[in-house]
Amino acid sequence: MDRYFDSDDICPHQLWWNVGNLEAVKNRNYQLFRGHFGGAAQILSKQTLNYLTILRDPVSMAASTYQHSKRDQNTKIHQFIHNSGLSFEQFINHKRTQHLVQNRISRSLTFGLDNHFNFEDLVLSRDSFKKFKKTINKNRLYKTAEQRLERLKKFLMDCRWFGILEHYDQSIDLLCFIMGWPPVTQSQKLNVHPEPQIISPDIKQTLMSLNQCDSVLYEFAEKQFKKNHRQMLADLSLEQDADSKRIKQAINERYQSNRTLKKTTSSQSKFYYTPKEPIIGDQWHRREWNPGLKKYFCWSGPGKDSFIDIWTQPQNYTLKIKIINTISQSHIKKLKVFINDKQPKWTIETNGSVHYLIVQCDKEMISAEGMLRIHFMNQDIKSHKEVFGGNDHRLVGLALESIRLEVAE
């Protein structure tokens, strides 16, 4: 999600106790808040927020919570689980941990939902969060399961988008369709436990009993999601049994059509792009900060073919694309570069691990509407951990730092 927004427009905090001065955050007019804020997220902004969320099967989420708590030393109960030797069954029944697997979806989404508090002078920290949380919980508007369920059904219907984790690829298709973004052709699942948690029928029954509200909400959401997906296909003039490739192609065509209607192409003779700005394309990981260069960059991946779109006036351009790292010396040699599916003339200038791709883009290569799609194809892809060490399992290819466009003489 981050890459579709300018880095300056994203609230950096993802947990309440990291927010700090609440009024200062509100005055920044951030365009994206992501994290564990629940229904109280509106407190962070003076603007009316559009919510996006993804739901997960409560039983599956309980197993994931247990595995995550065992694995991540930063969780509050990590040490307790290991010291006590808690099994999954004990975890869902113990008084200290049961709340972590009981109606978490409904409790989280209704946290502060529709409340109107005056927290102007509040500075949120780990200490002040306790009082903040207590105030919100004490004043919850939806106290019974029935009240929460009915309000959350409406909440989901009012969301700009919601998805279902068990239908992840279709959910991302719907997100791109609604937001007017290019489709995502390939995703990589990270932080997946190598051995899935075994859930016996008895444990499943216990979890269903603990999650009666969440189970009903999930069932409602899944039915509504399928209805929304069918409507998307109808809006794209596709058959209900259209395959994934055709769906993504139609989403891409719609994105280009909608982007053209906005008429915001640049007429500058020089244009400088960095991943600090929205990364509109496909097969790019989240942007990262390079403390040495004090600039952002982003890795391509997980797929072998990635592209980035720049919208500009059709002219003859010279592009200077700065690649600050690759996974191997042979990566650049195998690389192919296309502009809107046309192969331009290009050369490489190399200085250590930095490569400059000098691309001659003819006016005829740019679409009449102004789309300049730079396509990097035939990339070698390897795990970041395999190449650079550490614990980063993302599949990556090249690290993009900037793109400079200049009108050719």
Side-chain angles (χ1 to χ4, degrees), residues 62 75 90 104 108 136 142 153 188 196 200 207 221 278 291 332:
T75 57
Q90 291 169 329
R104 284 188 67 190
S108 173
I136 289 184
Y142 311 104
K153 286 180 180 179
Q188 181 183 3
S200 69
L207 286 169
I332 292 293

Side-chain angles (χ1 to χ4, degrees), residues 118-318:
N118 184 356
F119 290 117
E120 288 185 4
D121 300 323
L122 180 63
V123 177
L124 280 162
S125 63
R126 285 191 177 274
D127 291 334
S128 62
F129 172 69
K130 296 175 182 178
K131 183 178 179 181
F132 170 78
K133 181 179 179 181
K134 185 176 180 179
T135 299
I136 289 184
N137 283 332
K138 184 179 179 180
N139 292 278
R140 280 182 183 264
L141 298 178
Y142 311 104
K143 300 184 183 298
T144 69
E146 291 76 14
Q147 290 174 335
R148 288 194 291 270
L149 183 59
E150 290 309 307
R151 179 61 184 92
L152 287 177
K153 286 180 180 179
K154 183 179 185 304
F155 172 83
L156 289 177
M157 296 298 288
D158 291 339
C159 280
R160 180 74 181 276
W161 165 87
F162 74 86
I164 302 293
L165 188 64
E166 285 71 24
H167 303 283
Y168 183 78
D169 290 341
Q170 296 94 325
S171 294
I172 298 303
D173 283 345
L174 185 60
L175 174 65
C176 293
F177 169 78
I178 290 173
M179 300 300 292
W181 296 331
V184 175
T185 55
Q186 187 175 336
S187 301
Q188 181 183 3
K189 292 183 179 180
L190 299 170
N191 299 321
V192 178
H193 198 275
E195 298 180 5
Q197 181 65 49
I198 297 174
I199 304 175
S200 69
D202 288 343
I203 291 178
K204 183 175 181 179
Q205 185 61 43
T206 299
L207 286 169
M208 293 295 289
S209 178
L210 289 170
N211 288 277
Q212 293 182 28
C213 184
D214 278 7
S215 295
V216 174
L217 181 65
Y218 179 83
E219 183 179 355
F220 167 84
E222 188 174 33
K223 288 180 180 178
Q224 185 61 42
F225 168 77
K226 291 178 178 179
K227 181 179 179 181
N228 294 346
H229 191 268
R230 289 194 298 269
Q231 184 60 54
M232 177 191 74
L233 295 180
D235 290 344
L236 292 172
S237 301
L238 296 176
E239 300 294 331
Q240 292 299 313
D241 60 352
D243 62 24
S244 177
K245 183 177 180 180
R246 181 68 189 97
I247 292 171
K248 295 181 188 301
Q249 180 182 349
I251 293 173
N252 183 48
E253 291 169 357
R254 182 183 175 90
Y255 146 72
Q256 293 185 35
S257 176
N258 289 345
R259 185 62 177 75
T260 300
L261 293 174
K262 293 180 181 179
K263 300 291 184 182
T264 57
T265 54
S266 171
S267 58
Q268 300 172 209
S269 60
K270 294 183 179 180
F271 178 81
Y272 185 69
Y273 169 85
T274 76
K276 171 190 174 299
E277 302 168 58
I279 306 166
I280 306 301
D282 184 31
Q283 297 308 293
W284 298 99
H285 292 288
R286 65 183 184 273
R287 64 171 63 86
E288 300 173 60
W289 179 250
N290 185 322
L293 298 174
K294 296 184 178 179
K295 292 182 179 180
Y296 284 102
F297 70 96
C298 62
W299 280 101
S300 64
K304 293 185 175 182
D305 300 337
S306 57
F307 71 81
I308 193 164
D309 289 346
I310 295 174
W311 291 81
T312 186
Q313 297 291 339
Q315 299 183 75
N316 294 331
Y317 289 103
T318 298

